[in-house]
Amino acid sequence: MTWRSSRPTWRSTPATDARPLGGGERAELLAWIRFADHRPLEARTLVVLADALPPALFALWTAPRPVPTVELTVHFTDALDARPAQDWALVRIRTEHAGSGWAIENSAIWSTDGRLLALARQARAIREKFGAPRAG
């Protein structure tokens, strides 16, 4: 498969009652996601899906704040070797720790038949508001 240079688009359907900016009780979001062009779930596309959902902290908040990714690491499982996954993927993102302007989040991606395809971990900077970065 040739990677397309255009920005991929996807469709998502929440898998729980938690919604971004919903003021929930847990910093976790879970959704079914697929690419609009139905591209296969392979290593390159799983990296995109690992960062497709909003930051999990958005499940707690009711107003948006910038929470850019500073570092993202994705680990693939041998499920990709067994047979290609297609169409929808279940993606979960959860904040494991947040404080002092930083958040650590873990993501997991499963195929529709329950195979764990990838795990990801990312560090995010939590900003106070949109606009210029904080000094220091």
Side-chain angles (χ1 to χ4, degrees):
M1 175 184 166
T2 303
W3 183 253
R4 294 168 185 89
S5 61
S6 64
R7 183 175 178 207
T9 59
W10 55 84
R11 308 279 187 258
S12 66
T13 302
T16 65
D17 291 336
R19 299 289 187 273
L21 306 178
E25 297 180 10
R26 295 181 58 178
E28 180 177 280
L29 294 169
L30 186 69
W32 288 100
I33 302 177
R34 71 170 171 81
F35 286 93
D37 63 1
H38 300 278
R39 63 183 70 190
L41 301 175
E42 58 186 16
R44 289 181 278 186
T45 55
L46 292 176
V47 171
V48 173
L49 292 183
D51 197 33
L53 291 176
L57 287 171
F58 274 36
L60 300 175
W61 298 341
T62 57
R65 293 169 59 180
V67 189
T69 299
V70 176
E71 179 183 43
L72 173 64
T73 303
V74 180
H75 301 276
F76 307 105
T77 70
D78 60 347
L80 292 178
D81 298 333
R83 68 183 183 280
Q86 298 292 326
D87 214 24
W88 291 94
L90 183 63
V91 181
R92 180 192 70 213
I93 188 166
R94 177 174 38 213
T95 300
E96 300 298 334
H97 177 78
S100 298
W102 293 95
I104 305 297
E105 295 190 328
N106 288 329
S107 298
I109 304 169
W110 293 274
S111 65
T112 56
D113 60 2
R115 293 180 291 149
L116 179 63
L117 302 173
L119 295 169
R121 186 167 182 95
Q122 62 184 302
R124 293 184 183 265
I126 302 172
R127 303 289 184 219
E128 294 300 318
K129 58 184 176 180
F130 288 97
R134 292 183 293 182

